């Protein structure tokens, strides 16, 4: 068994303190403008989990999810960002990049710059499903390697990934959501790149991930089980993963006090993973997500550098 160290130990303790100290008050009444803004800035992802939901029509949002664990584990650091556009009331388009740059404290063969990976996706909100789920989102995603990214960032193959995200608010447990992700990730060779490194094996996988999210206010707690059926050059095998943790949606009023635009989400989780016949590991991970609309960014820039 391999055990990963605690990434950013101080950050983890700060997040725990914030989760324990922050009040779990109910939401305050919002104006029509505030409702639209909250919809645009609504977080629909945490760690590797997708919740149903799309942007409203003609809204544009920017998401930024730095990978802080790279500072400890890798010779490079990733800075993924994504633009989301509400094409229609139930349709959303996304496009993003995962550029990387040299890690200032680690060195090696991957201590370099690069554009990394391009991601394009579309999502469609279909509403209720099977008379049980309150929200359902269908999606399709394409990930393409750009340049020569490290194998951990992209395995030199293009990935096609249709998926569905479902959720139901439980009536017997207030503020609790039962959610499920189902996805198929297929690796294809469409860019006619150089052969991948010898240690890279093309993988196709089916993933099923049910979980529970308890979120009465800004603070939420989640637990989920992730099952994967993996087929590679050696045949097929199974993988199992259990993850539990906490989410803190920083209140917009607090972000305003910090002079930071947009919506911030801090995540802290413990993950244990077993890949049958291969390896298994466990450890604590942290993540910061930031989402804003371009109007806020432009307004912030105008305030900092007013015209003459």
């Amino acid at each position: 068994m391999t055990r990963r160290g605690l990434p950013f130990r101080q950050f983890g303790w700060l997040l725990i303190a914030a989760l324990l100290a922050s009040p779990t008050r109910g939401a305050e009444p919002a104006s029509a403008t505030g409702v639209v803004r909250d919809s645009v800035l609504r977080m629909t992802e945490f760690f590797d989990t997708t919740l149903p939901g799309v942007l409203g029509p003609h809204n544009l949002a920017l998401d930024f999810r730095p990978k802080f664990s790279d500072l400890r584990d890798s010779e490079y650091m990733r800075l993924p960002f994504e633009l989301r556009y509400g094409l229609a009331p139930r349709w959303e388009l996304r496009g993003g990049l995962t550029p990387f740059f040299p890690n200032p404290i680690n060195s090696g063969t991957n201590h370099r710059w690069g554009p990394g990976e391009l991601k394009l996706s579309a999502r469609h909100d279909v509403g209720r499903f099977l008379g049980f789920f309150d929200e359902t989102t269908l999606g399709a995603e394409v990930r393409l390697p750009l340049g020569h990214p490290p194998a951990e960032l992209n395995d030199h193959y293009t990935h096609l990934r249709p998926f569905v995200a479902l959720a139901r608010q439980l009536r017997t447990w207030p503020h609790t959501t039962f959610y499920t992700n189902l996805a198929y990730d297929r690796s294809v060779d469409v860019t006619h790149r150089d052969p991948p490194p010898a240690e890279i094996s093309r993988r196709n996988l089916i993933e099923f991930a049910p979980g529970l999210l308890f979120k009465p206010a800004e603070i939420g707690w989640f637990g989920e089980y992730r099952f994967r059926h993996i087929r590679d050059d050696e045949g097929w095998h199974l993988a199992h993963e259990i993850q539990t943790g906490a989410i803190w949606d920083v209140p917009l009023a607090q972000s305003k006090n910090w002079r930071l635009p947009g919506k911030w989400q801090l995540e802290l989780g413990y993950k244990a993973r077993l890949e049958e016949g291969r390896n298994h590991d466990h450890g604590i991970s942290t993540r910061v997500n930031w989402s804003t609309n371009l109007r806020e960014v432009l307004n912030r820039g105008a305030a900092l550098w007013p015209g003459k």
Side-chain angles (χ1 to χ4, degrees), residues 52-276:
V54 297
L55 283 176
H58 312 304
N59 287 315
L60 188 64
L62 171 67
D63 292 348
F64 180 58
R65 300 182 178 92
K67 306 292 186 180
F68 291 108
S69 60
D70 290 343
L71 186 63
R72 180 205 64 207
D73 297 332
S74 305
E75 301 156 7
Y76 58 91
M77 291 192 67
R78 293 166 287 175
L79 292 175
F81 64 90
E82 191 172 56
L83 278 174
R84 298 183 287 139
Y85 177 65
L87 182 65
R90 292 182 177 270
W91 284 93
E92 176 182 308
L93 301 180
R94 296 187 175 205
L97 288 173
T98 307
F100 63 96
F101 65 95
N103 188 331
I105 63 174
N106 288 337
S107 61
T109 57
N110 286 322
H111 190 259
R112 52 193 174 90
W113 301 83
E117 182 181 78
L118 171 66
K119 183 167 69 173
L120 302 171
S121 66
R123 300 187 181 193
H124 177 53
D125 178 16
V126 299
R128 295 185 60 84
F129 183 65
L130 296 178
F132 177 79
F133 293 101
D134 302 320
E135 296 181 275
T136 305
T137 297
L138 301 176
E141 178 182 280
V142 180
R143 296 191 293 113
L144 301 97
L146 299 177
H148 299 279
E152 294 80 4
L153 193 158
N154 185 286
D155 59 4
H156 294 252
Y157 290 102
T158 296
H159 287 257
L160 307 177
R161 183 175 176 269
F163 65 90
V164 58
L166 310 104
R168 174 183 172 86
Q169 297 289 329
L170 299 184
R171 312 296 187 249
T172 55
W173 295 352
H175 312 298
T176 303
T177 301
F178 170 70
Y179 62 84
T180 301
N181 287 181
L182 180 62
Y184 174 58
D185 190 316
R186 183 171 183 83
S187 303
V188 296
D189 185 8
V190 298
T191 53
H192 305 293
R193 303 170 58 83
D194 295 335
E199 67 273 12
I200 296 297
S201 175
R202 184 186 300 190
R203 297 179 128 200
N204 300 322
L205 63 89
I206 299 172
E207 183 177 77
F208 173 65
L212 289 174
L213 171 64
F214 174 70
K215 195 169 184 295
E218 293 92 356
I219 299 173
W221 310 88
F222 72 93
E224 72 176 38
Y225 165 70
R226 191 172 295 267
F227 169 82
R228 293 185 178 101
H229 178 283
I230 304 172
R231 178 171 291 278
D232 55 23
D233 295 338
E234 299 180 6
W236 66 270
H237 61 282
L238 304 178
H240 311 269
E241 180 178 294
I242 296 175
Q243 185 172 213
T244 184
I247 305 168
W248 181 31
D249 279 339
V250 180
L252 291 174
Q254 183 64 63
S255 299
K256 185 177 180 180
N257 290 338
W258 292 340
R259 300 180 183 275
L260 297 173
K263 183 71 173 178
W264 294 78
Q265 179 172 285
L266 282 66
E267 304 165 7
L268 175 67
Y270 173 80
K271 180 188 297 183
R273 178 171 53 199
L274 166 65
E275 193 166 336
E276 295 180 359

